[in-house]
């Protein structure tokens, strides 16, 4: 069960939070190369883990809240309100803006918990489990390819697909949100390592290309 | 590096997987009836096959699902990948399909 305490004042809560890569924000900014490749953290997104058989009644009820549950590896579903990623045949991750979280005035977690009801499965608030990195720019794919063995060529990895894989030897979700933009979801404890790893991969693009 | 074709996710690097030992080792129907030696053999004794070996794998950093694999322990050639609970396929009759990317 996702028990979410609602504090009296959401602003107090907002001020008290610290995102897993907040200490790297200035480094991300100085390490980004304008027009080439940029890295930033999108902190505090609402994330909810779902485990359910998508062909069951509970699966259908949850799908009506999320705007569908993806059917196969790589697929996503949802709309601008929330995106649902496929993690496994019966495992999904809902990602939404922080304002969707119940503690900040939203109702996403409660709506999902209610949709599951007492049926087999689980709905867990995982908002603090992972953070979000956005890597964008014409060199974004080149940076990722230094440490990810998936075929990231646009013909194989299309915009609007998300895969669980390893980046820089750590497990992460990789979501292609646009032709040159990726969102990476590392677990909080890996955010520092992966952030620095990506910065290292970006460094060469700050210098003129050696012919 | 082996390229293993996960039944759910397709071909992925070996580092995304973990090994689960010999497949098709059934839990004893009545463990209480076993002697200590029989119980120890169930727990610890496994085949050490030279050639085609049926084994379990899990796609740890992907879909986190288990599956079975028939792999040649000499050449590392992956001969078949099949679901948990399915019987070991007979590759000699070429009944088993070799999944995409399953050769080395
Ligand atoms: Zn898989």
């Amino acid at each position: 069960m996702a028990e979410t305490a609602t504090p009296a004042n959401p602003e107090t809560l907002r001020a008290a939070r610290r995102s897993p890569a907040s200490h790297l924000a200035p480094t991300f900014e100085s390490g980004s190369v304008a027009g080439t490749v940029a890295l930033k953290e999108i902190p505090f997104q609402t994330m909810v883990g779902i485990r359910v058989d998508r062909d069951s009644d509970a699966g259908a009820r949850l799908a009506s809240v999320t705007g569908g549950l993806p059917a196969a590896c790589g697929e996503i579903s949802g709309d601008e309100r929330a995106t649902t990623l496929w993690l496994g045949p019966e495992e999904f991750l809902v990602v939404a803006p922080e304002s969707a979280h119940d503690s900040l005035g939203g109702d996403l977690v409660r709506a999902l918990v209610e949709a599951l009801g007492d049926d087999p499965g689980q709905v867990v608030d995982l908002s603090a489990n992972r953070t979000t990195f956005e890597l964008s720019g014409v060199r974004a794919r080149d940076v990722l390819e230094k440490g990810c063995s998936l075929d990231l060529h646009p013909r194989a990895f299309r915009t609007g697909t998300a895969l669980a894989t390893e980046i820089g030897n750590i497990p992460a979700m990789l979501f292609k949100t646009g032709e040159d933009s990726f969102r990476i979801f590392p677990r909080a404890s890996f955010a520092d390592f992966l952030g620095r790893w990506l910065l290292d991969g970006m460094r060469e693009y700050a210098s003129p290309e050696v012919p | 590096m082996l390229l293993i074709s996960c039944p759910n996710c397709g071909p992925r690097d070996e580092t995304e997987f973990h090994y689960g030992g010999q497949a098709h080792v059934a839990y004893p129907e009545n463990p209480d009836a076993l002697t200590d030696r029989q119980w120890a053999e169930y727990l610890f004794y496994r085949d050490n096959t030279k050639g085609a070996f049926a084994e379990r794998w899990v796609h740890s950093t992907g879909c986190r699902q288990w599956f079975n694999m028939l792999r040649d322990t000499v050449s590392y050639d992956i001969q078949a990948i099949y679901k948990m609970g399915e019987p070991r396929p007979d590759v000699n009759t070429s009944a088993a399909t070799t999944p995409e990317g399953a050769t080395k």
Side-chain angles (χ1 to χ4, degrees):
Chain A
M1 288 292 289
E3 296 293 346
T4 311
T6 309
N9 182 0
E11 290 314 314
T12 314
L13 179 74
R14 276 205 171 92
R17 295 178 307 175
R18 191 162 47 84
S19 72
S22 55
H23 60 297
L24 291 176
T27 327
F28 284 176
E29 205 173 322
S30 60
S32 294
V33 187
T36 305
V37 62
L39 177 62
K40 65 171 181 177
E41 184 187 19
I42 303 173
F44 309 126
Q45 291 209 94
T46 302
M47 299 191 197
V48 188
I50 296 178
R51 299 198 79 152
V52 74
D53 175 0
R54 60 190 294 282
D55 295 326
S56 66
D57 289 346
R61 290 198 303 273
L62 284 162
S64 70
V65 176
T66 60
L69 293 175
C73 180
E75 290 184 11
I76 63 162
S77 65
D79 44 38
E80 64 286 339
R81 210 173 71 89
T83 306
T84 305
L85 316 183
W86 185 96
L87 299 189
E90 297 188 353
E91 188 174 10
F92 312 92
L93 182 70
V94 186
V95 182
E98 61 168 314
S99 57
H101 198 275
D102 303 51
S103 63
L104 299 173
D107 67 346
L108 182 65
V109 182
R110 186 179 51 83
L112 290 169
V113 168
E114 284 173 5
L116 178 64
D118 292 328
D119 286 8
Q122 65 183 30
V123 171
V124 183
D125 180 3
L126 297 177
S127 304
N129 183 28
R130 296 170 187 267
T131 189
T132 307
F133 286 157
E134 187 169 76
L135 185 70
S136 57
V138 290
R139 290 295 193 178
R141 172 158 73 97
D142 298 308
V143 172
L144 286 173
E145 281 174 346
K146 294 177 183 186
C148 177
S149 63
L150 290 178
D151 184 358
L152 299 180
H153 191 281
R155 86 177 147 243
F157 190 43
R158 295 173 196 282
T159 301
T161 56
L163 296 169
T165 185
E166 289 177 1
I167 302 169
N169 294 320
I170 66 141
M173 292 292 300
L174 178 63
F175 178 17
K176 187 171 180 183
T177 50
E179 204 173 318
D180 288 322
S181 69
F182 301 86
R183 288 199 175 183
I184 306 160
F185 305 102
R187 291 197 176 84
S189 53
F190 288 115
D192 177 81
F193 172 84
L194 185 62
R196 293 180 194 276
W197 190 92
L198 291 169
L199 278 169
D200 194 31
M202 290 158 62
R203 189 171 299 156
E204 64 164 303
Y205 304 113
S207 318
E209 196 169 341
V210 179
Chain B
M1 177 80 77
L2 289 173
L3 189 61
I4 298 174
S5 203
C6 169
N8 293 306
C9 309
R12 298 292 185 92
D13 276 0
E14 177 187 354
T15 52
E16 294 194 6
F17 298 84
H18 278 99
Y19 185 65
Q22 184 178 351
H24 310 302
V25 179
Y27 189 77
E29 206 130 287
N30 187 3
D32 292 341
L34 299 187
T35 65
D36 283 355
R37 180 173 182 86
Q38 286 169 322
W39 179 244
E41 282 179 359
Y42 160 70
L43 283 183
F44 306 117
Y45 283 50
R46 293 294 180 266
D47 296 340
N48 186 18
T49 308
K50 184 177 183 181
F53 186 53
E55 55 200 13
R56 302 178 300 176
W57 287 78
V58 62
H59 191 191
S60 328
T61 51
C63 59
R64 309 205 291 174
Q65 302 296 304
W66 286 91
F67 57 90
N68 288 325
M69 183 194 293
L70 201 58
R71 181 180 62 94
D72 191 304
T73 56
V74 180
S75 66
Y76 282 66
D77 182 38
I78 297 168
Q79 299 172 338
I81 284 174
Y82 54 105
K83 282 189 186 139
M84 298 303 286
E86 283 182 0
R88 173 183 169 140
D90 188 355
V91 288
N92 294 331
T93 61
S94 70
T97 50
T98 303
E100 184 197 346
T103 47
K104 284 191 254 317

